[in-house]
């Protein structure tokens, strides 16, 4: 009995660790936080179903889709965007089939670090202006909140997030986003910038508003390549949790099954109106600290997430968070995403003196930051989607040089 209670409490703890990042994505993209909680819970349960509940992984909202969701909703509307997100889940099935057929080496050959690194950097850098504008209280080119107050809220949120990330210890170090939101929200409440009336009027129990996807092939083609980065992130996440638990999950239950489980979660999230899901590094860190490797813990975390999706007042509380509070956190968050892309290049020792590598990275960064758009009639490709395709095509068509005369390293190699 005590052991079962301990497992339940551990599940609640996992959700607490993942919570800040989980609800941040819908708050930034205009989606319903309740649908993010529901999508994460259902997605995790589906993942466990596909993998035989063998892997202690929790699926939460993916940061990789923030910029694409913002662009897609402005271009095709929310129903069309949801269809695009639903379609993006099928990219995971493509990778799952490739891994099952040719092994993980085929994925590495198709998507080496010189391709993945700059694409991840664009995921963060392409929305840098959004973060800055929110921190200054601006939206749609208009000043919607007082500039001085906005900067103060953003600075407090950012400072709290940085302090916890750098100086906190143990489990507290895993919740910097949550700490930043709480600090900024408390200050905003003290400044009278929080509308508590909406929270008071919200019902305790509320069925989340489901968004019915609308078939839109342009949105689908836009979202498909976006899924490449989180699919690769998934592979790294599975290997990371395997390193913590001492088990090789790429063999049992198999990487093809974990990819399929994650892809199924992404599809379901798109069908109900939530952000796509992905493996959470925060949860892996929590597993490492607690040494609780029981996948049942993730089942309880998923069940708690589903239950919270129907808690009306809680979701009203989330939606009452002032924009600059989120903006301050985004300043760090999006820069962190870009830094991970840079770290991918550095750790793989990608030689940027090699012409092919320099071309790939340069074209991707310029096209992504400059918002280069490729249009074919009513269909357009821009941002992470276009950058992913550019990087893959350039990597496939540019010739690889022979061995260098001095260091014996293959110039432009797939590293």
């Amino acid at each position: 009995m005590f052991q079962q209670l301990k497992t339940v409490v551990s599940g609640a703890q996992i959700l607490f660790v993942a919570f800040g990042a989980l609800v941040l994505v819908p708050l930034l993209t205009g989606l319903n936080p309740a649908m993010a909680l529901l999508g994460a819970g259902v997605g995790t349960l589906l993942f466990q179903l596909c993998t035989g509940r063998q892997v202690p992984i929790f699926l939460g909202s993916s940061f990789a889709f923030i910029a694409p969701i913002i662009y897609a909703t402005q271009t095709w509307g929310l129903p069309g965007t949801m269809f695009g997100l639903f379609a993006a889940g099928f990219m995971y099935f493509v990778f799952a089939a490739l891994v099952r057929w040719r092994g993980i080496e085929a994925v590495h050959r198709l998507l080496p670090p010189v391709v993945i690194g700059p694409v991840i950097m664009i995921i963060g850098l392409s929305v840098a202006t959004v973060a800055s504008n929110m921190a200054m209280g601006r939206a749609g080119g208009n000043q919607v909140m007082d500039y001085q107050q906005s900067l103060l809220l953003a600075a407090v949120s950012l400072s709290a997030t940085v302090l916890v990330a750098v100086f906190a210890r143990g489990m507290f170090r895993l919740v910097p986003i949550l700490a930043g939101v709480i600090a900024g929200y408390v200050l905003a409440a003290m400044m009278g910038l929080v509308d508590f009336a909406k929270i008071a009027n919200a019902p305790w129990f509320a069925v989340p508003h489901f968004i019915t996807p609308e078939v839109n092939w342009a949105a689908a083609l836009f979202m498909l390549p976006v899924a490449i980065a989180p699919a690769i992130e998934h592979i790294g996440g599975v290997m990371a949790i395997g390193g913590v638990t001492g088990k090789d999950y790429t063999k049992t239950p198999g990487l093809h099954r974990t990819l399929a489980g994650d892809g199924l979660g992404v599809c379901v999230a798109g069908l109900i109106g939530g952000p796509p899901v992905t493996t959470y590094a925060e949860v892996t860190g929590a597993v490492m600290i607690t040494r609780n490797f029981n996948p049942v813990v993730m089942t309880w975390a998923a069940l708690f997430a589903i239950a919270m999706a129907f808690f009306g007042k809680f979701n009203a509380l989330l939606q009452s968070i002032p924009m600059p509070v989120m903006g301050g956190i985004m300043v760090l968050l999006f820069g962190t995403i870009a830094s991970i892309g840079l770290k991918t290049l550095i750790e793989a020792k990608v030689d940027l003196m090699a012409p092919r590598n320099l071309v790939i990275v340069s074209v991707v960064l310029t096209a992504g930051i400059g918002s280069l758009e490729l249009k074919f009639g009513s269909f357009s490709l821009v941002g992470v989607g276009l950058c992913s395709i550019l990087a893959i095509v350039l990597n496939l068509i540019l010739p690889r040089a022979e061995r260098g005369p001095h260091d014996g390293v293959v110039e432009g190699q797939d590293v």
Side-chain angles (χ1 to χ4, degrees):
M1 181 65 182
F2 174 76
Q3 186 61 37
Q4 186 175 6
L5 180 61
K6 183 179 178 181
T7 302
V8 174
V9 173
S10 297
Q13 183 174 252
I14 288 296
L15 182 59
F16 175 78
V17 169
F19 181 80
L22 198 162
V23 299
L24 182 63
V25 175
L27 290 174
L28 298 181
T29 56
L31 300 181
N32 189 343
M35 301 313 299
L37 288 163
L38 186 61
V42 174
T44 299
L45 294 178
L46 289 173
F47 174 83
Q48 291 194 328
L49 183 65
C50 289
T51 58
R53 201 159 70 174
Q54 298 180 62
V55 189
I57 275 180
F58 182 84
L59 301 181
S61 307
S62 172
F63 292 139
F65 287 89
I66 293 176
I69 289 175
I70 293 173
Y71 175 84
T73 51
Q74 293 173 349
T75 306
W76 299 292
L78 193 53
T81 299
M82 288 301 111
F83 180 78
L85 296 177
F86 166 74
F90 287 93
M91 186 61 75
Y92 288 81
F93 299 132
V94 172
F95 281 118
L98 183 61
V99 169
R100 181 68 184 271
W101 177 43
R102 302 290 291 177
I104 187 63
E105 294 79 13
V107 177
H108 290 319
R109 282 195 296 271
L110 181 65
L111 301 167
V114 73
V115 169
I116 295 301
V119 170
I120 294 176
M121 292 173 72
I122 289 303
I123 290 173
L125 295 177
S126 62
V127 282
T129 55
V130 175
S132 298
N133 283 327
M134 288 182 68
M136 294 184 289
R138 296 174 185 170
N142 300 316
Q143 192 74 43
V144 296
M145 289 187 63
D146 181 77
Y147 175 75
Q148 300 293 342
Q149 290 181 330
S150 298
L151 277 186
L152 176 61
L153 287 177
V156 169
S157 301
L158 175 60
S159 299
T161 305
V162 171
L163 288 173
V164 173
V166 175
F167 297 107
R169 293 290 178 267
M171 290 293 295
F172 289 104
R173 193 171 187 173
L174 300 173
V175 290
I177 293 175
L178 194 60
V181 171
I182 292 173
Y185 191 84
V186 170
L187 178 60
M190 293 171 62
M191 295 169 64
L193 299 176
V194 178
D195 185 5
F196 289 105
K198 291 183 179 179
I199 302 174
N201 294 331
W204 286 100
F205 176 83
V207 177
H209 178 63
F210 289 78
I211 301 295
T212 303
E214 181 181 280
V215 176
N216 189 313
W217 295 110
L221 290 173
F222 171 76
M223 284 295 182
L224 277 174
V226 177
I228 293 174
I232 298 301
E233 179 188 6
H234 168 92
I235 295 173
V238 170
M239 291 180 174
I241 192 66
V244 171
T245 63
K247 297 180 180 180
D248 188 356
Y249 297 116
T250 63
K251 293 183 178 179
T252 305
L255 193 57
H256 60 288
R257 291 179 64 183
T258 66
L259 279 165
D262 200 343
L264 192 58
V266 172
C267 288
V268 169
L271 285 176
I272 65 176
V277 293
T278 188
T279 55
Y280 262 23
E282 297 95 327
V283 171
T284 299
V287 171
M288 182 170 62
I289 290 175
T290 61
R291 312 301 294 175
N292 190 340
F293 305 149
N294 188 357
V296 177
V297 170
M298 304 303 164
T299 305
W300 280 107
L303 293 175
F304 281 127
I306 293 172
M308 289 179 69
F310 294 87
F311 189 11
K313 285 193 180 295
F314 179 73
N315 290 294
L317 174 68
L318 291 176
Q319 293 175 343
S320 71
I321 300 173
M323 179 175 62
V325 173
M326 309 308 299
I329 295 168
M330 287 168 66
V331 169
L332 174 64
L333 175 66
F334 293 155
T336 300
I337 295 173
S339 299
I340 291 172
L342 184 60
K343 176 173 174 281
T344 301
L345 295 174
I346 294 172
E347 287 188 341
K349 299 181 180 178
V350 174
D351 182 12
L352 290 182
M353 293 303 292
R356 75 182 306 274
N357 290 344
L358 183 62
V359 167
I360 294 171
V361 175
S362 301
V363 169
V364 169
L365 291 179
T366 303
I369 296 174
S371 299
L372 180 67
E373 185 176 6
L374 196 62
K375 299 190 75 173
F376 302 97
S378 61
F379 169 71
S380 63
L381 198 58
V382 70
V384 180
L386 177 60
C387 290
S388 299
I389 293 176
L390 283 174
I392 292 171
V393 171
L394 288 172
N395 180 63
L396 291 175
I397 66 175
L398 292 179
R400 292 170 174 78
E402 299 298 328
R403 289 183 176 275
H406 303 296
D407 56 12
V409 177
V410 179
E411 187 179 27
Q413 62 186 321
D414 282 349
V415 293

